[in-house]
PDB file of all heavy atoms in Angstrom:
ATOM      1  N   VAL C   1      99.617 132.573 318.080  1.00 95.00           N
ATOM      2  CA  VAL C   1      99.640 131.549 316.988  1.00 95.00           C
ATOM      3  C   VAL C   1     100.411 130.284 317.498  1.00 95.00           C
ATOM      4  O   VAL C   1      99.986 129.078 317.197  1.00 95.00           O
ATOM      5  CB  VAL C   1     100.310 132.117 315.742  1.00 95.00           C
ATOM      6  CG1 VAL C   1     100.496 131.053 314.713  1.00 95.00           C
ATOM      7  CG2 VAL C   1      99.396 133.203 315.099  1.00 95.00           C
ATOM      8  N   MET C   2     101.494 130.582 318.251  1.00 95.00           N
ATOM      9  CA  MET C   2     102.245 129.437 318.753  1.00 95.00           C
ATOM     10  C   MET C   2     101.296 128.651 319.803  1.00 95.00           C
ATOM     11  O   MET C   2     101.328 127.348 319.732  1.00 95.00           O
ATOM     12  CB  MET C   2     103.416 129.973 319.534  1.00 95.00           C
ATOM     13  CG  MET C   2     104.616 130.332 318.702  1.00 95.00           C
ATOM     14  SD  MET C   2     105.948 130.899 319.654  1.00 95.00           S
ATOM     15  CE  MET C   2     106.449 129.519 320.637  1.00 95.00           C
ATOM     16  N   ALA C   3     100.618 129.279 320.565  1.00 95.00           N
ATOM     17  CA  ALA C   3      99.638 128.576 321.551  1.00 95.00           C
ATOM     18  C   ALA C   3      98.583 127.763 320.811  1.00 95.00           C
ATOM     19  O   ALA C   3      98.256 126.659 321.286  1.00 95.00           O
ATOM     20  CB  ALA C   3      99.056 129.661 322.536  1.00 95.00           C
ATOM     21  N   ASP C   4      98.121 128.283 319.755  1.00 94.00           N
ATOM     22  CA  ASP C   4      97.112 127.597 318.906  1.00 94.00           C
ATOM     23  C   ASP C   4      97.628 126.302 318.313  1.00 94.00           C
ATOM     24  O   ASP C   4      96.991 125.370 318.100  1.00 94.00           O
ATOM     25  CB  ASP C   4      96.571 128.480 317.839  1.00 94.00           C
ATOM     26  CG  ASP C   4      95.682 129.678 318.257  1.00 94.00           C
ATOM     27  OD1 ASP C   4      95.308 129.634 319.449  1.00 94.00           O
ATOM     28  OD2 ASP C   4      95.541 130.594 317.466  1.00 94.00           O
ATOM     29  N   ARG C   5      98.965 126.253 318.087  1.00 93.00           N
ATOM     30  CA  ARG C   5      99.718 125.077 317.548  1.00 93.00           C
ATOM     31  C   ARG C   5     100.244 124.219 318.662  1.00 93.00           C
ATOM     32  O   ARG C   5     100.927 123.214 318.395  1.00 93.00           O
ATOM     33  CB  ARG C   5     100.845 125.577 316.621  1.00 93.00           C
ATOM     34  CG  ARG C   5     100.531 126.525 315.510  1.00 93.00           C
ATOM     35  CD  ARG C   5      99.459 125.998 314.504  1.00 93.00           C
ATOM     36  NE  ARG C   5      99.350 126.857 313.311  1.00 93.00           N
ATOM     37  CZ  ARG C   5      98.525 127.827 313.174  1.00 93.00           C
ATOM     38  NH1 ARG C   5      97.758 128.176 314.311  1.00 93.00           N
ATOM     39  NH2 ARG C   5      98.380 128.441 312.104  1.00 93.00           N
ATOM     40  N   GLY C   6      99.904 124.548 319.941  1.00 93.00           N
ATOM     41  CA  GLY C   6     100.409 123.738 320.997  1.00 93.00           C
ATOM     42  C   GLY C   6     101.879 123.958 321.441  1.00 93.00           C
ATOM     43  O   GLY C   6     102.488 123.191 322.145  1.00 93.00           O
ATOM     44  N   MET C   7     102.440 125.080 321.055  1.00 93.00           N
ATOM     45  CA  MET C   7     103.797 125.483 321.421  1.00 93.00           C
ATOM     46  C   MET C   7     103.639 126.574 322.558  1.00 93.00           C
ATOM     47  O   MET C   7     103.298 127.660 322.271  1.00 93.00           O
ATOM     48  CB  MET C   7     104.537 126.029 320.234  1.00 93.00           C
ATOM     49  CG  MET C   7     104.646 125.034 319.100  1.00 93.00           C
ATOM     50  SD  MET C   7     105.365 125.824 317.579  1.00 93.00           S
ATOM     51  CE  MET C   7     107.022 125.748 317.996  1.00 93.00           C
ATOM     52  N   PHE C   8     103.924 126.122 323.789  1.00 93.00           N
ATOM     53  CA  PHE C   8     103.635 127.043 324.889  1.00 93.00           C
ATOM     54  C   PHE C   8     105.036 127.545 325.488  1.00 93.00           C
ATOM     55  O   PHE C   8     105.003 128.393 326.387  1.00 93.00           O
ATOM     56  CB  PHE C   8     102.830 126.314 325.983  1.00 93.00           C
ATOM     57  CG  PHE C   8     101.528 125.955 325.512  1.00 93.00           C
ATOM     58  CD1 PHE C   8     101.215 124.649 325.211  1.00 93.00           C
ATOM     59  CD2 PHE C   8     100.501 126.873 325.353  1.00 93.00           C
ATOM     60  CE1 PHE C   8      99.983 124.253 324.700  1.00 93.00           C
ATOM     61  CE2 PHE C   8      99.294 126.500 324.832  1.00 93.00           C
ATOM     62  CZ  PHE C   8      98.970 125.262 324.528  1.00 93.00           C
ATOM     63  N   SER C   9     106.103 127.066 325.029  1.00 93.00           N
ATOM     64  CA  SER C   9     107.396 127.588 325.491  1.00 93.00           C
ATOM     65  C   SER C   9     108.102 128.221 324.351  1.00 93.00           C
ATOM     66  O   SER C   9     108.107 127.781 323.197  1.00 93.00           O
ATOM     67  CB  SER C   9     108.310 126.399 325.954  1.00 93.00           C
ATOM     68  OG  SER C   9     109.570 126.811 326.318  1.00 93.00           O
ATOM     69  N   THR C  10     108.770 129.425 324.600  1.00 91.00           N
ATOM     70  CA  THR C  10     109.465 130.149 323.547  1.00 91.00           C
ATOM     71  C   THR C  10     110.559 129.312 322.941  1.00 91.00           C
ATOM     72  O   THR C  10     110.889 129.465 321.798  1.00 91.00           O
ATOM     73  CB  THR C  10     110.001 131.516 324.066  1.00 91.00           C
ATOM     74  OG1 THR C  10     110.866 131.296 325.110  1.00 91.00           O
ATOM     75  CG2 THR C  10     108.839 132.401 324.563  1.00 91.00           C
ATOM     76  N   THR C  11     111.239 128.462 323.775  1.00 91.00           N
ATOM     77  CA  THR C  11     112.283 127.637 323.234  1.00 91.00           C
ATOM     78  C   THR C  11     111.898 126.572 322.299  1.00 91.00           C
ATOM     79  O   THR C  11     112.721 125.934 321.631  1.00 91.00           O
ATOM     80  CB  THR C  11     113.079 127.033 324.452  1.00 91.00           C
ATOM     81  OG1 THR C  11     112.100 126.214 325.265  1.00 91.00           O
ATOM     82  CG2 THR C  11     113.756 128.097 325.314  1.00 91.00           C
ATOM     83  N   ASP C  12     110.543 126.342 322.129  1.00 92.00           N
ATOM     84  CA  ASP C  12     110.123 125.417 321.236  1.00 92.00           C
ATOM     85  C   ASP C  12     110.394 125.797 319.788  1.00 92.00           C
ATOM     86  O   ASP C  12     110.296 124.932 318.861  1.00 92.00           O
ATOM     87  CB  ASP C  12     108.511 125.213 321.338  1.00 92.00           C
ATOM     88  CG  ASP C  12     108.151 124.517 322.588  1.00 92.00           C
ATOM     89  OD1 ASP C  12     109.021 123.844 323.181  1.00 92.00           O
ATOM     90  OD2 ASP C  12     106.942 124.610 322.976  1.00 92.00           O
ATOM     91  N   LEU C  13     110.723 127.113 319.543  1.00 94.00           N
ATOM     92  CA  LEU C  13     111.112 127.594 318.224  1.00 94.00           C
ATOM     93  C   LEU C  13     112.561 127.389 317.863  1.00 94.00           C
ATOM     94  O   LEU C  13     112.822 127.444 316.700  1.00 94.00           O
ATOM     95  CB  LEU C  13     110.687 129.091 318.045  1.00 94.00           C
ATOM     96  CG  LEU C  13     109.226 129.418 317.860  1.00 94.00           C
ATOM     97  CD1 LEU C  13     109.054 130.917 317.841  1.00 94.00           C
ATOM     98  CD2 LEU C  13     108.730 128.799 316.598  1.00 94.00           C
ATOM     99  N   ILE C  14     113.411 127.160 318.839  1.00 94.00           N
ATOM    100  CA  ILE C  14     114.858 127.220 318.525  1.00 94.00           C
ATOM    101  C   ILE C  14     115.183 126.080 317.586  1.00 94.00           C
ATOM    102  O   ILE C  14     115.910 126.379 316.608  1.00 94.00           O
ATOM    103  CB  ILE C  14     115.601 127.036 319.857  1.00 94.00           C
ATOM    104  CG1 ILE C  14     115.427 128.287 320.736  1.00 94.00           C
ATOM    105  CG2 ILE C  14     117.143 126.798 319.573  1.00 94.00           C
ATOM    106  CD1 ILE C  14     116.116 128.248 322.043  1.00 94.00           C
ATOM    107  N   ALA C  15     114.790 124.838 317.814  1.00 94.00           N
ATOM    108  CA  ALA C  15     115.171 123.752 316.905  1.00 94.00           C
ATOM    109  C   ALA C  15     114.504 123.922 315.536  1.00 94.00           C
ATOM    110  O   ALA C  15     115.271 123.702 314.583  1.00 94.00           O
ATOM    111  CB  ALA C  15     114.766 122.413 317.596  1.00 94.00           C
ATOM    112  N   PRO C  16     113.248 124.164 315.376  1.00 95.00           N
ATOM    113  CA  PRO C  16     112.715 124.320 314.048  1.00 95.00           C
ATOM    114  C   PRO C  16     113.365 125.505 313.254  1.00 95.00           C
ATOM    115  O   PRO C  16     113.535 125.422 311.982  1.00 95.00           O
ATOM    116  CB  PRO C  16     111.227 124.659 314.193  1.00 95.00           C
ATOM    117  CG  PRO C  16     110.858 124.134 315.605  1.00 95.00           C
ATOM    118  CD  PRO C  16     112.145 124.211 316.374  1.00 95.00           C
ATOM    119  N   LEU C  17     113.727 126.580 313.977  1.00 95.00           N
ATOM    120  CA  LEU C  17     114.506 127.717 313.299  1.00 95.00           C
ATOM    121  C   LEU C  17     115.873 127.194 312.862  1.00 95.00           C
ATOM    122  O   LEU C  17     116.310 127.524 311.733  1.00 95.00           O
ATOM    123  CB  LEU C  17     114.551 128.826 314.176  1.00 95.00           C
ATOM    124  CG  LEU C  17     113.358 129.639 314.321  1.00 95.00           C
ATOM    125  CD1 LEU C  17     113.497 130.721 315.470  1.00 95.00           C
ATOM    126  CD2 LEU C  17     112.915 130.363 313.053  1.00 95.00           C
ATOM    127  N   ALA C  18     116.552 126.384 313.698  1.00 95.00           N
ATOM    128  CA  ALA C  18     117.855 125.907 313.372  1.00 95.00           C
ATOM    129  C   ALA C  18     117.753 124.886 312.192  1.00 95.00           C
ATOM    130  O   ALA C  18     118.699 124.925 311.374  1.00 95.00           O
ATOM    131  CB  ALA C  18     118.477 125.125 314.579  1.00 95.00           C
ATOM    132  N   ASP C  19     116.673 124.136 312.087  1.00 95.00           N
ATOM    133  CA  ASP C  19     116.495 123.257 310.958  1.00 95.00           C
ATOM    134  C   ASP C  19     116.393 124.012 309.604  1.00 95.00           C
ATOM    135  O   ASP C  19     116.751 123.467 308.540  1.00 95.00           O
ATOM    136  CB  ASP C  19     115.297 122.444 311.127  1.00 95.00           C
ATOM    137  CG  ASP C  19     115.395 121.445 312.232  1.00 95.00           C
ATOM    138  OD1 ASP C  19     116.525 121.194 312.653  1.00 95.00           O
ATOM    139  OD2 ASP C  19     114.323 120.935 312.725  1.00 95.00           O
ATOM    140  N   ARG C  20     115.995 125.219 309.715  1.00 94.00           N
ATOM    141  CA  ARG C  20     115.889 126.055 308.546  1.00 94.00           C
ATOM    142  C   ARG C  20     117.057 127.061 308.332  1.00 94.00           C
ATOM    143  O   ARG C  20     117.003 127.981 307.632  1.00 94.00           O
ATOM    144  CB  ARG C  20     114.588 126.828 308.658  1.00 94.00           C
ATOM    145  CG  ARG C  20     113.350 125.944 308.376  1.00 94.00           C
ATOM    146  CD  ARG C  20     112.055 126.571 308.895  1.00 94.00           C
ATOM    147  NE  ARG C  20     110.940 125.658 308.648  1.00 94.00           N
ATOM    148  CZ  ARG C  20     110.670 124.625 309.438  1.00 94.00           C
ATOM    149  NH1 ARG C  20     111.415 124.339 310.471  1.00 94.00           N
ATOM    150  NH2 ARG C  20     109.633 123.872 309.078  1.00 94.00           N
ATOM    151  N   GLY C  21     118.099 126.809 309.135  1.00 94.00           N
ATOM    152  CA  GLY C  21     119.339 127.565 308.934  1.00 94.00           C
ATOM    153  C   GLY C  21     119.400 128.889 309.712  1.00 94.00           C
ATOM    154  O   GLY C  21     120.256 129.750 309.357  1.00 94.00           O
ATOM    155  N   ILE C  22     118.589 129.096 310.625  1.00 94.00           N
ATOM    156  CA  ILE C  22     118.457 130.302 311.456  1.00 94.00           C
ATOM    157  C   ILE C  22     118.976 130.045 312.815  1.00 94.00           C
ATOM    158  O   ILE C  22     118.261 129.263 313.535  1.00 94.00           O
ATOM    159  CB  ILE C  22     117.050 130.929 311.435  1.00 94.00           C
ATOM    160  CG1 ILE C  22     116.722 131.330 309.960  1.00 94.00           C
ATOM    161  CG2 ILE C  22     116.984 132.200 312.311  1.00 94.00           C
ATOM    162  CD1 ILE C  22     115.240 131.725 309.760  1.00 94.00           C
ATOM    163  N   SER C  23     119.946 130.660 313.285  1.00 94.00           N
ATOM    164  CA  SER C  23     120.585 130.393 314.664  1.00 94.00           C
ATOM    165  C   SER C  23     120.285 131.648 315.497  1.00 94.00           C
ATOM    166  O   SER C  23     120.832 132.705 315.302  1.00 94.00           O
ATOM    167  CB  SER C  23     122.047 130.234 314.399  1.00 94.00           C
ATOM    168  OG  SER C  23     122.671 130.252 315.717  1.00 94.00           O
ATOM    169  N   LEU C  24     119.339 131.389 316.406  1.00 93.00           N
ATOM    170  CA  LEU C  24     118.968 132.425 317.403  1.00 93.00           C
ATOM    171  C   LEU C  24     119.200 131.971 318.786  1.00 93.00           C
ATOM    172  O   LEU C  24     118.852 130.739 319.116  1.00 93.00           O
ATOM    173  CB  LEU C  24     117.573 132.935 317.253  1.00 93.00           C
ATOM    174  CG  LEU C  24     117.140 133.617 315.882  1.00 93.00           C
ATOM    175  CD1 LEU C  24     115.646 133.926 315.984  1.00 93.00           C
ATOM    176  CD2 LEU C  24     117.936 134.872 315.751  1.00 93.00           C
ATOM    177  N   SER C  25     119.703 132.765 319.664  1.00 93.00           N
ATOM    178  CA  SER C  25     119.823 132.337 321.153  1.00 93.00           C
ATOM    179  C   SER C  25     118.374 132.245 321.747  1.00 93.00           C
ATOM    180  O   SER C  25     117.394 132.814 321.188  1.00 93.00           O
ATOM    181  CB  SER C  25     120.709 133.352 321.866  1.00 93.00           C
ATOM    182  OG  SER C  25     120.059 134.490 322.035  1.00 93.00           O
ATOM    183  N   SER C  26     118.321 131.743 322.915  1.00 93.00           N
ATOM    184  CA  SER C  26     117.090 131.609 323.607  1.00 93.00           C
ATOM    185  C   SER C  26     116.477 132.901 323.966  1.00 93.00           C
ATOM    186  O   SER C  26     115.317 133.117 323.915  1.00 93.00           O
ATOM    187  CB  SER C  26     117.201 130.647 324.830  1.00 93.00           C
ATOM    188  OG  SER C  26     118.063 131.257 325.737  1.00 93.00           O
TER     189      SER C  26
END
C-alpha cells in the first residue's frame, strides 16, 4: 500500500505518524 502511494522508504511514515501524535523509532 505504501508503494502504491509512492512511499518507498519505511522512514517516510515517521513524520506523518508524529503529526498524529504517535512516536515510533525508525
Side-chain angles (χ1 to χ4, degrees):
V1 173
M2 284 178 62
D4 292 344
R5 306 298 189 273
M7 300 173 80
F8 298 103
S9 176
T10 58
T11 56
D12 292 342
L13 281 177
I14 294 176
L17 285 171
D19 292 342
R20 288 160 179 80
I22 298 171
S23 168
L24 295 177
S25 69
S26 59

